[in-house]
Amino acid sequence: MGPRLLLVPLGCFALLLLLPGAAEFSPSLDSDFTFTLPAGRKECFYQPMRKEASLELEYQVLDGAGLDVDFHLLSPKGETLVFDERKSDGVHTVETEDGDYMFCFDNTFSTISEKVIFFELILDNMGEDGQDEEDWKKYVTGTDLLDMKLEDILESINSVKARLSKSVQIQTLLRAFEARDRNIQESNFDRVNFWSMVNLGVMVVVSAVQVYMLKSLFEDKRKNRT
């Protein structure tokens, strides 16, 4: 069974990742989330962590004026571990202790523009490694004559799994970059079309005025004598 994602409202959003019941080769959890942060609002998320685990958090502002947001990461004791002011993206890794870590995205400095924010959580060493090793030891006995022992197989599987996880992480980040660049291009496209229409209207008006002025220069204004 894979990790389950629970959102619990506690005056602000709460993100809780529960551990799977079955043991894994290399305990590591990876999840990503995209949400819209309204102007003048602050949203917070909670992540329970174990002692001597690792929490890596990456975020990007995909859309919104300025492409910036304030970011806070607090320890279970309420200590500020990370504070980014008006940043468009960031990557932070912390060694954790038992408790709930809180991270917040703050858009209170903006009174008009909402922000679309993507973030990814990568949790390492969340399982019981010692128990996994004990489970494998009973299968290792009697394999001295084999060319490749079960420990070597396990190491190879862990290496492949780690590389696949890293590939998935990179692809997720590339999709986030692509989404942000696409939003910028669409905004520039609309802006170019708007000002092109304005310039076209000005050119039509100027041409009409020039034609009128030229015609008025060649008109015979003398009155016919009767």
Side-chain angles (χ1 to χ4, degrees), residues 105-122:
F105 298 94
D106 191 348
N107 194 31
T108 55
F109 59 84
S110 178
T111 57
I112 299 176
S113 176
E114 64 180 17
K115 306 295 173 60
V116 178
I117 300 175
F118 162 85
F119 69 85
E120 181 180 20
L121 288 176
I122 302 173

Side-chain angles (χ1 to χ4, degrees), residues 11-90:
C12 54
F13 287 121
L15 181 64
L16 301 178
L17 293 176
L18 302 183
L19 296 176
E24 301 178 1
F25 289 113
S26 179
S28 178
L29 300 179
D30 187 357
S31 61
D32 56 84
F33 188 48
T34 302
F35 69 101
T36 300
L37 181 59
R41 291 284 300 277
K42 177 180 179 181
E43 299 292 354
C44 296
F45 302 84
Y46 294 88
Q47 173 58 51
M49 295 297 298
R50 292 188 174 186
K51 186 177 181 180
E52 298 181 353
S54 174
L55 168 64
E56 180 178 350
L57 192 148
E58 304 181 13
Y59 70 90
Q60 294 182 36
V61 182
L62 302 182
D63 195 14
L67 293 177
D68 54 357
V69 72
D70 291 345
F71 173 77
H72 305 259
L73 176 60
L74 283 76
S75 70
K77 298 179 181 179
E79 301 173 348
T80 299
L81 302 178
V82 177
F83 174 63
D84 291 342
E85 185 176 6
R86 307 289 291 271
K87 294 289 187 66
S88 61
D89 56 76

Side-chain angles (χ1 to χ4, degrees), residues 97-167:
E97 57 186 19
D98 290 329
D100 294 339
Y101 284 75
M102 182 177 72
F103 53 98
C104 302
F105 298 94
D106 191 348
N107 194 31
T108 55
F109 59 84
S110 178
T111 57
I112 299 176
S113 176
E114 64 180 17
K115 306 295 173 60
V116 178
I117 300 175
F118 162 85
F119 69 85
E120 181 180 20
L121 288 176
I122 302 173
L123 314 179
D124 289 326
N125 300 327
M126 292 294 288
E128 298 179 357
D129 295 338
Q131 182 63 37
D132 292 342
E133 294 176 359
E134 292 296 329
D135 292 340
W136 276 93
K137 283 181 179 180
K138 59 184 179 181
Y139 298 105
V140 175
T141 59
T143 60
D144 295 337
L145 300 179
L146 296 178
D147 292 333
M148 178 179 288
K149 296 182 179 180
L150 288 180
E151 298 100 320
D152 299 329
I153 298 176
L154 177 60
E155 182 178 355
S156 300
I157 294 175
N158 281 333
S159 177
V160 172
K161 183 177 182 295
R163 294 179 182 180
L164 288 176
S165 300
K166 190 64 176 179
S167 299

